[in-house]
Amino acid sequence: MPRDHRPVTSVRVLLAEDQGMMRGALALLLGMEDDIEVVAQVGAGDEIVDAALAARPDVALLDIELPGRSGLDAAADLRRECPDCRVLILTTFGRPGYLRRAMEAGAAGFLVKDGPVEELAEAVRRVLRGETVIDPALAAAALSAGPNPLTGREADVLKASVDGATVADIAGRLHLSESTVRNYLSAAIGKTGTRNRMEAVREARRQGWL
């Protein structure tokens, strides 16, 4: 069972950020806080769980768009593999759909990168205490945006369309019939209010649904 998240002398933090300069700057700035220690740094999403199992951080600070595996997927992995570790999403992309997906994955907080480091440090402390920390403007946008209208399969088909794959290619990748792929694409285009699948992909990404 997860332990109670009470304040400790030094908060152990894992950083997951694919841009080396940003990762180094965050580690330096957080490390200047008397009660925060950066115990692990990774640049890819598929390295997060192994690093967390080795370093046993109290808080994992995760970007969303990472090579290998997204921070949102990694958040769900951490909830299962490292239930003592609280997850705080820190991203450039303040999209309502991302916030909803982060909360569904078990994240305790969601912030955008344009805030001051003092607020980030305080957010780390707050999630460790068991609080939920969400950027206020993004929370308001998420409430007004409503839920993701795409089903899981519709999202899968749109993701498989990103590289310009043909319907036959998508059907082969997802083990579906071509007619089923066309039906999913048509539904996704209708739900995103767009004219074709590439516009549907762009709109779904803009909303944070993919």
Side-chain angles (χ1 to χ4, degrees):
M1 292 293 293
R3 64 177 179 270
D4 292 335
H5 297 286
R6 293 183 290 271
V8 292
T9 302
S10 181
V11 184
R12 297 169 60 81
V13 173
L14 176 150
L15 283 177
E17 164 64 56
D18 62 330
Q19 297 182 28
M21 187 174 293
M22 173 66 76
R23 186 170 66 248
L26 284 171
L28 179 64
L29 291 168
L30 287 174
M32 293 174 69
E33 299 290 321
D34 292 339
D35 60 341
I36 294 177
E37 178 187 5
V38 177
V39 296
Q41 300 180 47
V42 298
D46 49 10
E47 299 172 353
I48 291 171
V49 170
D50 286 345
L53 289 171
R56 292 296 176 182
D58 300 301
V59 177
L61 191 58
L62 311 182
D63 194 4
I64 291 180
E65 297 196 355
L66 295 167
R69 194 160 177 75
S70 79
L72 297 176
D73 291 333
D77 295 339
L78 286 173
R79 180 172 58 178
R80 182 178 62 254
E81 300 291 338
C82 306
D84 285 347
C85 181
R86 303 278 284 176
V87 173
L88 179 59
I89 300 292
L90 180 67
T91 182
T92 304
F93 305 102
R95 298 168 181 166
Y98 279 166
L99 173 57
R100 287 180 177 276
R101 289 168 60 195
M103 296 299 103
E104 289 169 359
F110 194 110
L111 298 176
V112 292
K113 290 180 180 177
D114 58 1
V117 70
E118 293 82 8
E119 288 185 9
L120 176 59
E122 184 57 25
V124 168
R125 299 181 186 105
R126 288 176 63 191
V127 298
L128 184 62
R129 293 197 297 264
E131 299 179 38
T132 299
V133 182
I134 299 174
D135 179 90
L138 185 58
L143 286 173
S144 63
N148 179 357
L150 300 174
T151 67
R153 265 311 193 185
E154 289 163 359
D156 289 342
V157 169
L158 280 185
K159 289 176 186 175
S161 302
V162 169
D163 60 0
T166 65
V167 169
D169 291 335
I170 298 169
R173 290 178 192 173
L174 300 180
H175 308 291
L176 299 170
S177 70
E178 292 185 26
S179 62
T180 298
V181 169
R182 291 191 183 93
N183 288 339
Y184 282 135
L185 286 172
S186 177
I189 291 167
K191 288 179 179 180
T192 54
T194 54
R195 296 173 297 181
N196 55 59
R197 60 173 162 157
M198 296 316 296
E199 286 186 5
V201 167
R202 285 194 292 271
E203 178 61 16
R205 280 182 158 176
R206 188 183 72 81
Q207 294 286 351
W209 296 334
L210 293 185

